[in-house]
Amino acid sequence: MALFTPSFSFKISASSSPRRCRFVKARRSFTLRAAVAVESPSFSSADRDGAPKLLLEVKDLSAVIAESKQPILKGVNLTVHEGEVHAVMGKNGSGKSTFAKVLVGHPDYEITGGSITYKGQDLLEMEPEERALAGLFMSFQSPVEIPGVSNIDFLNMAYNARRRKLGLPELGPIEFYGYVAPKLEIVNMKIDFLNRNVNEGFSGGERKRNEILQLAVLGAELSILDEIDSGLDVDALRDVAKAVNGLLTPNNSVLMITHYLRLLEFIKPTYIHIMENGRIVKTGDISIAEILEREGYKAISNT
């Protein structure tokens, strides 16, 4: 489901052997935070020494497909501080989406090496629903439909799960309606959208807007956006990008996966990373994406 981490229960071995995540489907959990703005801000939060606060640190991360044991990630290194926007680009099959799914604990992959630290905690020791409640959020390329569950009920349940985690009282239906209704303006959606079933009969653009609505309602310290520009026309892309920019604060960060420069022209990245053969092989600024647009990956390929 878009913009949230599906809730599964799993255990990870502490031995040196490949860490296989064993999952049992459970209740879904969601996390995100709302804000309002227009342009992509340029800021980074800092600790008392003035240095940006570390949010996510990935070291030498390796992973394989759980069923076939095919290696996909082969030593990924990435550091994300609060207030930063990171974009990951690369050819199909380079490992971008696998990397995103491993971060949220997808059951299709085994961790075979490396570490992930999130807000000072070992992310690999956290269950997927714990990751979500801790403020890790993912938007999938193809969010699933949930027949029989309205958007407002879905969002109310998810929002209250986050409030329980924070030790706050839950909101009843009327209180929550008053909270969620103004958020529709962020994604340029009408109020009757709340009564529709989650993603059922939605167009591609509506699904992406719905993902950002979830983001606006629920709040996340780290949002992983996997090709949110896919299938969007220019107007829909502008609305989605405006909403994402409006949710950025000095205390949260975005990690977005994309193939195209056009998204990065709307959501300005702090860094762009090029992924190739399961590794990040190059990091730079927007000029990397401009080179890709003109010359393709052959211009910066490692091979």
Side-chain angles (χ1 to χ4, degrees), residues 54-59 77-80 115-119:
L54 182 64
L55 183 63
L56 177 76
E57 186 174 31
V58 180
K59 291 184 177 181
N77 292 282
L78 178 69
T79 300
V80 178
S115 64
I116 309 175
T117 303
Y118 173 66
K119 295 199 293 189

Side-chain angles (χ1 to χ4, degrees), residues 284-296:
D285 56 21
I286 191 68
S287 63
I288 293 180
E290 293 169 348
I291 293 172
L292 290 179
E293 188 79 2
R294 293 193 308 267
E295 305 177 38

